Amino acid sequence: MSVRGFAAVALSLFTVGTAIAADLDEKKAPTEKAAAAKEAPFFLFADTQISYRYQFPTVTPGIQIERPDGSFRSREAPKHILNISHADAWAYGTNFFSLDILKSGSQFPAGTTNTPGGIPAVSDYGNTEAYGLYRGTLSLNALTGTKAFTVPGIVKEISLSFGFDANSQNDAFGSKKRDVVGGLNFAFDVPTGFLNLSVHAYKEWNRNGFNTQPDRDQSFNTVPEFEIVYSLPLTFTRLPLSLVGFNNIVLPKGRGISDNPAAFAFNPARGLEFLSRTNLVLDLGKLVYDQPNKIDVFVGFQYWRNKFGNQETATFKGTEEKSFLAGVAVHVF
């Protein structure tokens, strides 16, 4: 399994793009609006980017090292991550898609439990994961043709919010996560940059390769989920720097439904999951070539408590991650 794949830089771009488009539209005279309506493209804003980031150290729940005194600690490994993301804004809302391809170090080996007797067969190289995510919004103001869903000075926009996540990973656990989310998105009225909060209902299905069939497929309880995304330009530095990040909270989602109570040994109750990432992003294209939104470089920090909902015990580690990351992003069109 992986982080939820939020490419916060791209999210900031399409959010800002939507706001700019709305501001320009309000300032146009009626005749200008009519002419613009005939010539305006379908997408008010679109951005596609490819990025690479290196992250270390990362942990995986249940992968641990036993100390000489019999206690355990988390095993750590680096990850190389290639991301492709796309964001756009149109008259009624926004779309965002992100795909992470994550390659772990050999400390987290590829492998399977699909062998006779379910004995794990592991390799001497790291596992690979694909993690995709989609989020969409529909503006309630645009749908109703009113400003009823604006609270001046507090909330600029309230939108319907929806999406899904999906992943696949070739390790012994063999996660096959599928989730859907739906709820409301609140775009707060901040002086510069943006701050968004999504409040969702969250439903997850997954797979546990350590269980025997037919108990590998899991279905978790529907629970509240919160997503906070922000981008804050650091104008006081006089550099094209921004603080960009997200926070994600998933409330306890249960054990994972199974008809076999014996399978609960490998399906412990999940706890509250908290994931946070903050990046310091430098628009290198603007700094060097005076061409903004072309090339970004970034460094950041990620904190993950109760990773995937797993809770740490004296004999089960790898549930708390504190890692640094650095990377580069290229806006291709």
Side-chain angles (χ1 to χ4, degrees):
M1 296 176 72
S2 162
V3 301
R4 303 201 191 303
F6 291 94
V9 175
L11 280 168
S12 68
L13 286 171
F14 84 71
T15 304
V16 172
T18 305
I20 292 173
D23 291 343
L24 290 175
D25 188 62
E26 287 182 359
K27 295 174 183 177
K28 288 178 181 177
T31 54
E32 292 178 304
K33 288 185 180 181
K38 295 180 180 179
E39 300 176 2
F42 182 81
F43 290 113
L44 304 175
F45 174 84
D47 178 70
T48 300
Q49 63 175 276
I50 299 174
S51 68
Y52 163 81
R53 68 184 185 270
Y54 176 83
Q55 190 167 332
F56 181 84
T58 68
V59 299
T60 294
I63 297 185
Q64 55 203 25
I65 296 173
E66 186 174 2
R67 297 187 178 99
D69 62 1
S71 64
F72 293 89
R73 68 173 178 86
S74 304
R75 183 182 290 276
E76 299 175 342
K79 284 189 179 180
H80 299 271
I81 305 164
L82 176 68
N83 175 268
I84 302 172
S85 62
H86 170 82
D88 62 62
W90 60 301
Y92 289 92
T94 60
N95 296 288
F96 174 70
F97 172 78
S98 173
L99 175 64
D100 274 342
I101 306 297
L102 306 98
K103 179 66 175 178
S104 295
S106 60
Q107 299 92 331
F108 299 158
T112 181
T113 54
N114 291 319
T115 58
I119 300 174
V122 298
S123 68
D124 58 357
Y125 55 87
N127 68 69
T128 302
E129 176 187 10
Y131 195 105
L133 171 147
Y134 169 78
R135 292 291 184 271
T137 66
L138 288 173
S139 163
L140 291 173
N141 282 330
L143 290 174
T144 60
T146 70
K147 291 290 184 180
F149 298 93
T150 296
V151 182
I154 302 176
V155 177
K156 292 191 292 186
E157 182 76 69
I158 301 176
S159 303
L160 300 177
S161 178
F162 47 88
F164 64 85
D165 297 39
N167 94 314
S168 181
Q169 189 169 7
N170 65 343
D171 62 356
F173 186 86
S175 64
K176 190 178 179 181
K177 177 182 177 181
R178 305 289 185 268
D179 74 54
V180 293
V181 298
L184 293 175
N185 176 272
F186 301 85
F188 292 103
D189 191 357
V190 293
T192 183
F194 80 94
L195 172 64
N196 283 1
L197 166 66
S198 293
V199 181
H200 291 146
Y202 173 92
K203 173 65 176 179
E204 179 184 332
W205 300 265
N206 213 320
R207 176 186 179 278
N208 185 339
F210 293 113
N211 286 343
T212 58
Q213 291 290 16
D215 300 309
R216 286 183 169 173
D217 293 332
Q218 301 172 295
S219 176
F220 292 94
N221 299 335
T222 301
V223 297
E225 184 245 17
F226 305 91
E227 300 174 1
I228 301 170
V229 185
Y230 58 89
S231 177
L232 305 173
L234 303 179
T235 54
F236 65 89
T237 66
R238 297 186 179 181
L239 293 171
L241 274 175
S242 297
L243 199 65
V244 180
F246 68 86
N247 293 278
N248 179 247
I249 300 171
V250 180
L251 269 60
K253 57 193 177 187
R255 290 178 175 268
I257 298 169
S258 172
D259 293 330
N260 180 9
F264 281 174
F266 293 107
N267 293 315
R270 303 310 197 268
L272 185 147
E273 181 180 1
F274 174 68
L275 169 61
S276 176
R277 185 193 300 165
T278 301
N279 288 351
L280 183 63
V281 181
L282 173 66
D283 189 333
L284 191 63
K286 180 175 177 59
L287 179 67
V288 178
Y289 304 107
D290 198 26
Q291 296 185 19
N293 301 327
K294 297 294 184 182
I295 302 176
D296 300 321
V297 292
F298 56 90
V299 295
F301 177 77
Q302 179 168 297
Y303 176 72
W304 203 338
R305 180 172 177 79
N306 291 337
K307 194 169 184 179
F308 315 132
N310 291 281
Q311 302 182 83
E312 183 171 304
T313 68
T315 58
F316 188 85
K317 303 297 182 180
T319 67
E320 185 178 44
E321 181 174 276
K322 301 175 182 178
S323 60
F324 295 92
L325 58 97
V328 58
V330 178
H331 301 258
V332 292
F333 59 84

